Each structure stands twice: as C-alpha cells, then as structure tokens.
Amino acid sequence: MTAAKVTLRHYGDGCHQTKDRPTAKFTGKENYDEFAKRFTNYVSLSDHHCPKVMKWATEQVDEITTLELDALDPDDKKGLATKMPMVLYYVLTGLVEGPPYLIVDQVEESNGLEAWRRLHKRYSRTKTQIAITQLVNIVNTKFDDKDFENQ
C-alpha cells in the first residue's frame, strides 16, 4: 500500500496503523462531519490530547488567542500552547483548498486551534439541520407495493 493509504506512527509503546488519513482535500463541498472525524482520528495518532482540545476549540464562541492556550497548559508540558496549534495549522493547510483554505490562511500566528474553530463554525451542521435532514429523508421515502405483503 502507498503512504497515502496507510500511515505508520510510533505512538506510546508501539506502532499503530491507520487508514483514516484524509486523502482528498476538503473544499467545502464534501461532508464536513466526515472530514472532521477522519482529521481528528488522524491527528490523534501524533498526540492523544488532540481530540479533547479540538473539541474544546469548537465550543469556543470567541477567537482562541495564545493567552487562552497558555492558560490551558501553563507550563506547556503538553505542547498545547506551542506545538499542537502549529502542527494542526500546517496539517490543515495541506488538507484544505478553496474557501476552507482561505479561512485557515487568515488565522494569525499559525494557530491551528483557531483555524479548526473557524472551519467548524463555518461548515459543521447544527443539531437542527441534522434533524431536518433526517425528517425530510423519512418523509420522502418511497415505498413500492411489492415491498408489502397483501393481507
């Protein structure tokens, strides 16, 4: 298999294999929730704190500043204030293009958590949107008489 399909990462006490690496770039036309899931799984291989911190980032209403990152990890033992935001930023720039790239590119100081927050704010579906989509799918379901037994 090629490197795009399988990535081996040293993590903890061994190597883990993943096929979750986002292979296609996110352009805003694809399903954001699927992209977010694959991206989160992929970056969690390099740092197990990523999913929790990325979830925190999506819950923030205001811009995430370096001061807030410093408060999360005062001694920078986990790299939350320095390493993680920068790694997320550069990985995101390689996996998005078009309008999503412009969103990421406008973030200052290579703050990947702020870039993630902005992408999530722009492209994720709300619970109301998800419920409406499910309801429309139910209402628009077509039944064929052959599918039912005559009673």
Side-chain angles (χ1 to χ4, degrees), residues 2-121:
T2 65
K5 292 184 180 174
V6 175
T7 302
L8 290 177
R9 293 276 181 169
H10 180 71
Y11 186 71
D13 56 352
C15 287
H16 295 277
Q17 189 176 40
T18 180
K19 294 182 182 178
D20 288 336
R21 179 174 184 230
T23 53
K25 292 192 176 196
F26 179 70
T27 64
K29 296 176 184 174
E30 300 81 10
N31 182 331
Y32 171 78
D33 295 328
E34 285 297 317
F35 170 78
K37 182 177 161 184
R38 289 191 327 268
F39 181 75
T40 303
N41 288 342
Y42 182 65
V43 296
S44 70
L45 292 173
S46 64
D47 188 340
H48 67 279
H49 296 290
C50 276
K52 188 175 183 178
V53 177
M54 289 169 66
K55 182 172 178 9
W56 169 85
T58 63
E59 295 167 350
Q60 303 309 299
V61 176
D62 297 323
E63 181 177 348
I64 299 170
T65 64
T66 53
L67 292 175
E68 290 172 309
L69 295 175
D70 289 338
L72 278 177
D73 189 13
D75 300 325
D76 202 27
K77 291 179 183 173
K78 299 175 185 172
L80 299 180
T82 54
K83 183 182 172 192
M84 184 188 300
M86 196 174 297
V87 169
L88 282 175
Y89 181 82
Y90 289 111
V91 173
L92 274 173
T93 59
L95 292 174
V96 297
E97 63 182 26
Y101 180 82
L102 294 175
I103 291 171
V104 173
D105 191 46
Q106 291 173 356
V107 174
E108 296 178 10
E109 300 179 11
S110 302
N111 185 345
L113 289 170
E114 173 58 17
W116 184 247
R117 183 191 75 81
R118 290 184 188 183
L119 281 175
H120 187 78
K121 182 179 176 183

